Amino acid sequence: MGKTMKEKIDDIAMAQLFTEARSYPGWQDRDVADELLHTLYDLAKWGPTSMNCQPMRLVFVKSAEAKEKLVTALAAGNIDKVRAAPVTAVIGHDLAFYEHLATQSPHSANADKMFSKNTALAESTAFRNGTLQGAYLLMAARALGLDCGPMSGFNNDKVDELFFPGGRIRSNFIMNLGYGDESKLHARGPRLEFPVAASIQ
Amino acid sequence: MGKTMKEKIDDIAMAQLFTEARSYPGWQDRDVADELLHTLYDLAKWGPTSMNCQPMRLVFVKSAEAKEKLVTALAAGNIDKVRAAPVTAVIGHDLAFYEHLATQSPHSANADKMFSKNTALAESTAFRNGTLQGAYLLMAARALGLDCGPMSGFNNDKVDELFFPGGRIRSNFIMNLGYGDESKLHARGPRLEFPVAASIQ
């Protein structure tokens, strides 16, 4: 043991996760069961975070009542998208995530004090790792056959007030989940070429 | 068209990406070819960013010379890990990412001004979306059969000075890439249960 080497995943999975995956603005009228949202979290949770700190906190907005609450905080262009999607995940991060380190990272015994004494470090750690977990959630959704529509166009303070009252959790981005309507897709944007974004030294 | 529904990816891919994937502290003495790093970027780049802004900037640190430069900025516990890994990706984000919006997001014609006039918005957008892209990079590496070892323990200012001089790009986190040595794995950390991290409303 110790010397194994994994294979590339198959082309179908690669296409579904990366090369053919799209962000959907329109949605089929098809429900996403609560059980599938549990399965989704139980996949995404395995993605790595610094010191296993796991700051991501989620509200899956599904009921008509919660949807109407959420749309009051959205940019105009996102309201119809959210109304049409079966679920919208509100992705936030817990600024006091370090209270769970004793159980989640017992070998980093005193790390909680490092964060409780340094608000800027706690905030950047929560934002960075909560965002990584948001991307794992997106990839896990695609792996399960769901389509995603991530969005930043909303009033963060208002979403915090409505879905994360108390000030401990801060909203990051939101993401529609469901089964996308391919007839409503826009043309796909280009991507920066390797030499613009990367180098090997 | 418009009404298709994707399948769950197969169990092998699911295990490799999520359920059995681990963060490796030790590495096999096996090279990662430059060509594979290009393939890796060309997969990860398809992950979505807000307005297709793509702020992630990468330096793949591979040569002994660049490695020795990098280790001068690392926390003590990360030095041996980085020396043993065939490649360490330094993941940063371009604070002036909006200069590429004209070509990458032509339908958001004037969005560049929104960012150039608002440094706080540009910084949080770069950090959020660069971090999402860092997570896509990790998932793309696993999809290609590579193992990952992401790390936050380093001096960001020093890494910026060494690898992103000029102040336009800010380092975010670093990630070893290669073929992990399973004999050096620690016990896997637990994960927060659904009711602690999530709710359905």
Side-chain angles (χ1 to χ4, degrees):
Chain A
M1 288 302 289
K3 298 290 175 196
T4 57
M5 193 168 151
K6 296 164 190 87
E7 304 288 329
K8 188 171 167 298
I9 65 172
D10 68 58
D11 290 346
I12 295 170
M14 215 56 120
Q16 189 162 318
L17 293 165
F18 296 103
T19 52
E20 299 296 328
R22 301 293 310 278
S23 290
Y24 285 79
W27 300 92
Q28 301 176 43
D29 183 16
R30 192 187 316 232
D31 186 49
V32 173
D34 288 6
E35 196 190 344
L36 185 54
L37 297 175
H38 278 83
T39 302
L40 170 61
Y41 175 76
D42 283 332
L43 254 190
K45 73 180 182 187
W46 291 116
T49 53
S50 150
M51 287 188 205
N52 202 28
C53 66
Q54 306 170 72
M56 180 175 70
R57 299 294 178 268
L58 296 170
V59 178
F60 291 110
V61 174
K62 231 185 124 173
S63 70
E65 198 190 333
K67 277 284 188 69
E68 288 312 302
K69 234 168 68 173
L70 180 56
V71 298
T72 65
L74 299 179
N78 288 332
I79 292 177
D80 287 346
K81 297 181 193 172
V82 163
R83 282 209 177 109
V87 186
T88 308
V90 180
I91 295 147
H93 43 266
D94 183 355
L95 300 173
F97 64 86
Y98 47 82
E99 290 182 5
H100 295 284
L101 287 177
T103 58
Q104 301 302 302
S105 195
H107 61 285
S108 319
N110 293 311
D112 60 333
K113 289 185 194 68
M114 179 171 89
F115 294 111
S116 63
K117 288 177 179 164
N118 188 339
T119 308
L121 181 67
E123 285 189 7
S124 64
T125 302
F127 189 24
R128 177 182 300 108
N129 287 280
T131 305
L132 291 172
Q133 290 186 281
Y136 305 149
L137 189 78
L138 181 146
M139 286 292 166
R142 288 179 173 175
L144 288 170
L146 287 164
D147 294 310
C148 300
M151 291 166 286
S152 290
F154 62 93
N155 180 328
N156 286 69
D157 291 338
K158 192 155 187 193
V159 166
D160 293 352
E161 197 184 302
L162 293 169
F163 291 96
F164 300 124
R168 176 172 164 156
I169 302 170
R170 195 170 286 168
S171 60
N172 186 359
F173 66 101
I174 63 177
M175 183 161 69
N176 285 331
L177 293 167
Y179 304 96
D181 181 347
E182 292 179 21
S183 70
K184 297 209 170 72
L185 280 171
H186 307 301
R188 198 179 200 188
R191 293 299 189 271
L192 296 173
E193 299 292 331
F194 187 100
V196 178
S199 69
I200 302 174
Q201 292 189 10
Chain B
M1 288 302 290
K3 298 288 174 196
T4 58
M5 192 169 151
K6 296 166 191 86
E7 304 288 328
K8 187 172 168 296
I9 65 171
D10 68 59
D11 290 346
I12 295 170
M14 214 56 119
Q16 189 162 318
L17 293 166
F18 295 104
T19 53
E20 300 296 328
R22 300 295 311 277
S23 289
Y24 285 80
W27 299 93
Q28 301 175 43
D29 183 18
R30 193 188 316 230
D31 186 48
V32 173
D34 288 6
E35 196 191 342
L36 185 53
L37 297 175
H38 279 82
T39 302
L40 170 61
Y41 175 76
D42 284 332
L43 256 190
K45 74 181 180 186
W46 292 115
T49 53
S50 148
M51 286 189 204
N52 202 27
C53 66
Q54 308 170 68
M56 180 175 70
R57 300 293 178 268
L58 296 169
V59 179
F60 291 110
V61 175
K62 229 185 124 171
S63 70
E65 199 188 333
K67 278 283 190 70
E68 287 313 302
K69 232 167 69 173
L70 179 57
V71 298
T72 64
L74 299 180
N78 287 334
I79 293 177
D80 287 346
K81 297 180 194 174
V82 163
R83 282 208 176 110
V87 185
T88 307
V90 180
I91 295 146
H93 43 264
D94 183 355
L95 300 174
F97 64 87
Y98 48 82
E99 291 183 5
H100 296 282
L101 286 178
T103 59
Q104 301 302 304
S105 196
H107 59 286
S108 320
N110 293 311
D112 61 331
K113 288 184 195 72
M114 177 171 88
F115 294 112
S116 63
K117 287 177 180 165
N118 187 339
T119 307
L121 180 67
E123 286 189 7
S124 64
T125 302
F127 189 24
R128 176 182 300 107
N129 287 280
T131 304
L132 291 173
Q133 290 187 282
Y136 305 148
L137 189 77
L138 180 146
M139 286 291 165
R142 288 179 174 176
L144 289 169
L146 288 165
D147 294 309
C148 300
M151 289 166 288
S152 290
F154 63 93
N155 180 328
N156 286 69
D157 290 339
K158 193 156 188 192
V159 166
D160 292 352
E161 196 185 303
L162 293 168
F163 292 96
F164 300 124
R168 176 173 163 153
I169 302 170
R170 193 169 289 168
S171 59
N172 186 358
F173 67 101
I174 62 176
M175 182 160 69
N176 285 331
L177 293 167
Y179 304 97
D181 182 346
E182 292 180 20
S183 69
K184 296 209 170 74
L185 279 173
H186 306 301
R188 198 179 201 190
R191 293 298 190 273
L192 297 174
E193 299 292 332
F194 186 99
V196 178
S199 69
I200 302 175
Q201 292 188 9

